[in-house]
Amino acid sequence: MKLAGQFRLPQKFSRRDVLTRFLSFALFVITAATIPLVNSASQSSGVLTGNWAAKIPNADGTVRATYFNLKQDGSRITGSIRVTQFYYLITDGSGGPESFVLNGSMRDGRSERKVRYEGKLVGDELHLTTRRRPEDRPTELVARRAPDGEGALPARIPPPTLHKVRYNGLAKTPPMGWNSWNKFAGRIDDATVRGIADVMASNGMKDAGYLYINIDDTWEGGRDAQGNMLTNKKFPDMKALADYVHRKGLKLGIYSSPGPNTCAGYEGSYGHEEQDARTFAAWGIDYLKYDWCGARTLYTDEEMPAIYQKMGDALLKSGRPIVYSLCQYGRLDVWKWGADVGGNLWRTTGDIRDTWDSMTNIGFKQNELAPYAGPGHWNDPDMLEIGNGGMTDIEYKTHMSLWAMLAAPLLAGNDLRTMSPAILEILTNHDVIAVDQDRLGKQGTLQSKSGDQEIWSRSLSGDAKAIAIFNRGKEEAKVTVPWADLGITAKSKVRDLWLHKAVEVIGSEYSVTIPGHGVVMLRVSP
Ligand code: GLA
């Protein structure tokens, strides 16, 4: 071999040695050349680095996705995790392909949310587990590589400067109707909404004042190429559904979020406010519940008014009268600015649950908010749980009475198609509804409290007033109050709003026995 002949091999090396030495040299060269790459890979782009998505299809054609945007530096893992609408920063991530741990954290108003995933690389998939609480069984996820940028938090659009949004002239009395969330959550669909509308139009509820049929979260489908909001498979034709509801003499409400995603992780209105308001108007929507949820990663609580104002403006601009319901759990004292951004009502609390404790913890805490309610703008202590099964009928009467005293929106949250006559009777108590809907729009307040008994009163039009005596205790209680303390004289006309009969003003005191968790509600007219 000519080339080889130019080299003089030391005699002591055999041909085999030469081959071995050559191969080791070659290996060294390859290794040396690779080290910087391997090093840089282990320092800045380990095999875990990249965008990973765990996608679980929903039956409605949408996908529930969790994104892991990871950067592996040796055994250190940084990056972010997005779980539906929650964007977590990885604060403590470590390990490698065989086993890694990701701890994520996000600010949520004044509190912090955390997630923790454990995982390993199997082939080209990440196999992960997570638990809500340490004592829970782990949830398993499989994530695959996703294109860069998919699932990323969109760029922040600066909030607009504040101005006062003109009142839309709606909700002169607290809105009444029905909302899908408490009973159906993600299981709401077109057929159910139609069924509920049929019943509400014919069972006496419509006559009692119930008007809005509100679809809560999980109707959204995503966007078309022009950015128009689409519905998912559960709602094939929203315009047709609105027409159907309108033909029943009822109105249709819908739900969205100022963030990129809703609470359930569906498409939000972020960056599409005017476009979505136009879409809603074109469909014939009459009511929008606008839920902060997905906006929390992009904006601080202090920026809420500006962000809510955006949709307030957009709804007005759409030209259709649409009741505007703010849902941000009462943060940043929303009652002080809700009306200025165009809100007709605003949630004052976190989500209600179908329990006595949840309902009363919310309802009895509304006293100080009374000055902020009035025609066109209402405090919203959340939707009714009446008929959902977690409370007794006595407790549901208390729920209905308390909400009426609070001039709260009356949005039934149960399955109207299957409720008992007793529940229908509670929901359609005309006397109690008349208190809720009184045109003065003055929210009731706590007048006095003695142990478990509270007396609330509410001024009504025509110099009348409503009085509710609540027994928050478990045991039956006999309550005796001087008529004078209730502002009742011998000339007053007093009506018991649950017994539907006149109460005689005799003697100097009113004496009544109230069951545990029960209420007596009176209307006093001059
Ligand atoms: C939040 C709201 C609820 C409901 C859900 C829907 O929790 O407070 O009323 O709208 O989102 O995801």
Side-chain angles (χ1 to χ4, degrees):
M1 209 157 96
K2 204 178 170 220
L3 240 165
Q6 291 174 348
F7 291 90
R8 296 212 50 187
L9 294 172
Q11 283 311 305
K12 53 183 171 172
F13 291 126
S14 69
R15 282 186 90 81
R16 199 161 164 265
D17 279 337
V18 173
L19 195 67
T20 313
R21 292 210 155 214
F22 174 76
L23 282 178
S24 0
F25 177 68
L27 201 66
F28 168 77
V29 171
I30 292 168
T31 312
T34 323
I35 277 171
L37 269 185
V38 171
N39 273 352
S40 76
S42 65
Q43 273 164 18
S44 64
S45 63
V47 67
L48 299 177
T49 297
N51 195 26
W52 305 82
K55 296 184 179 177
I56 300 165
N58 292 318
D60 57 27
T62 61
V63 167
R64 186 180 168 87
T66 305
Y67 289 93
F68 300 86
N69 196 277
L70 307 181
K71 192 157 182 268
Q72 183 197 349
D73 294 347
S75 64
R76 186 162 172 262
I77 306 168
T78 52
S80 58
I81 302 168
R82 169 181 160 199
V83 189
T84 59
Q85 89 280 21
F86 299 113
Y87 294 80
Y88 300 88
L89 213 63
I90 298 174
T91 47
D92 180 13
S94 61
E98 312 74 41
S99 157
F100 61 85
V101 178
L102 308 172
N103 288 293
S105 152
M106 70 171 272
R107 183 186 43 78
D108 182 10
R110 256 155 280 164
S111 57
E112 188 193 7
R113 277 175 184 269
K114 290 181 172 182
V115 277
R116 179 184 166 88
Y117 289 87
E118 290 170 20
K120 60 181 179 209
L121 183 67
V122 180
D124 50 8
E125 294 173 344
L126 296 186
H127 288 198
L128 302 125
T129 57
T130 186
R131 300 164 209 260
R132 279 197 154 194
R133 292 163 307 179
E135 65 271 25
D136 288 348
R137 279 191 35 211
T139 307
E140 295 178 4
L141 289 176
V142 174
R144 301 187 176 85
R145 290 206 183 264
D148 276 353
E150 191 186 294
L153 184 66
R156 190 183 124 102
I157 303 169
T161 46
L162 281 172
H163 63 86
K164 202 168 149 57
V165 177
R166 176 168 57 78
Y167 169 50
N168 60 11
L170 302 171
K172 294 249 163 68
T173 60
M176 288 179 68
W178 176 88
N179 175 293
S180 61
W181 188 254
N182 284 356
K183 175 68 188 177
F184 295 96
R187 298 178 309 278
I188 191 63
D189 60 11
D190 180 284
T192 307
V193 172
R194 286 176 194 242
I196 295 286
D198 293 347
V199 171
M200 200 163 100
S202 58
N203 71 352
M205 287 182 74
K206 180 179 150 189
D207 298 334
Y210 291 88
L211 183 62
Y212 294 95
I213 300 271
N214 294 345
I215 304 166
D216 208 282
D217 204 352
T218 78
W219 64 267
E220 311 85 340
R223 296 188 181 275
D224 68 12
Q226 286 72 48
N228 295 307
M229 180 79 109
L230 302 169
T231 55
N232 64 42
K233 282 188 197 155
K234 296 190 300 167
F235 291 91
D237 187 342
M238 199 59 92
K239 169 94 176 66
L241 179 57
D243 290 346
Y244 183 87
V245 169
H246 291 156
R247 278 199 298 276
K248 300 260 159 192
L250 301 170
K251 292 183 181 290
L252 188 66
I254 212 164
Y255 166 102
S256 191
S257 172
N261 301 96
T262 66
C263 287
Y266 286 69
E267 188 76 20
S269 290
Y270 181 69
H272 293 272
E273 292 80 2
E274 287 199 4
Q275 190 176 18
D276 287 359
R278 280 197 303 273
T279 302
F280 299 156
W283 285 341
I285 297 296
D286 308 292
Y287 185 117
L288 173 68
K289 172 174 168 183
Y290 207 43
D291 192 344
W292 187 244
C293 260
R296 66 184 112 205
T297 315
L298 290 160
Y299 300 110
T300 62
D301 279 13
E302 286 63 36
E303 290 168 324
M304 281 177 174
I307 301 306
Y308 273 97
Q309 169 192 295
K310 248 186 169 179
M311 187 50 98
D313 283 338
L315 291 177
L316 277 185
K317 209 170 158 188
S318 80
R320 187 176 173 86
I322 298 178
V323 171
Y324 188 26
S325 155
L326 316 189
C327 175
Q328 42 79 284
Y329 339 114
R331 272 151 56 164
L332 196 77
D333 295 352
V334 59
W335 38 90
K336 294 185 180 159
W337 52 267
D340 291 343
V341 301
N344 296 110
L345 59 156
W346 44 80
R347 276 273 295 277
T348 58
T349 73
D351 290 12
I352 194 169
R353 279 170 300 110
D354 184 20
T355 65
W356 168 256
D357 284 347
S358 169
M359 184 274 287
T360 51
N361 282 336
I362 289 177
F364 288 112
K365 275 200 192 120
Q366 305 293 306
N367 191 37
E368 272 144 43
L369 306 186
Y372 302 98
H377 40 268
W378 307 99
N379 291 312
D380 172 10
D382 209 358
M383 304 163 293
L384 300 172
E385 290 283 10
I386 296 169
N388 279 332
M391 290 181 249
T392 64
D393 288 359
I394 288 177
E395 293 170 336
Y396 285 141
K397 278 186 190 173
T398 297
H399 188 0
M400 184 77 184
S401 307
L402 184 52
W403 262 235
M405 293 302 285
L406 296 173
L410 296 178
L411 296 171
N414 59 323
D415 189 345
L416 306 184
R417 301 166 306 178
T418 56
M419 69 184 150
S420 68
I423 292 297
L424 177 62
E425 214 180 300
I426 294 171
L427 285 171
T428 52
N429 182 326
H430 285 71
D431 284 335
V432 173
I433 290 173
V435 171
D436 181 77
Q437 295 289 302
D438 185 80
R439 60 184 166 75
L440 262 192
K442 287 205 119 199
Q443 180 171 329
T445 52
L446 175 68
Q447 198 187 304
S448 65
K449 184 176 163 81
S450 157
D452 284 331
Q453 283 81 54
E454 295 189 13
I455 302 181
W456 287 61
S457 76
R458 178 176 170 184
S459 302
L460 303 175
S461 50
D463 281 332
K465 69 174 174 176
I467 292 171
I469 309 175
F470 294 101
N471 176 14
R472 295 179 64 175
K474 275 203 189 111
E475 308 303 326
E476 180 180 282
K478 188 166 184 202
V479 177
T480 305
V481 206
W483 291 113
D485 287 10
L486 298 174
I488 296 174
T489 66
K491 285 187 194 149
S492 308
K493 219 179 101 199
V494 183
R495 184 173 167 78
D496 183 314
L497 304 188
W498 284 107
L499 296 178
H500 303 291
K501 62 176 199 199
V503 175
E504 281 187 84
V505 184
I506 19 180
S508 60
E509 310 174 316
Y510 175 52
S511 197
V512 65
T513 301
I514 309 176
H517 292 180
V519 65
V520 168
M521 203 168 157
L522 307 173
R523 184 187 186 99
V524 183
S525 351

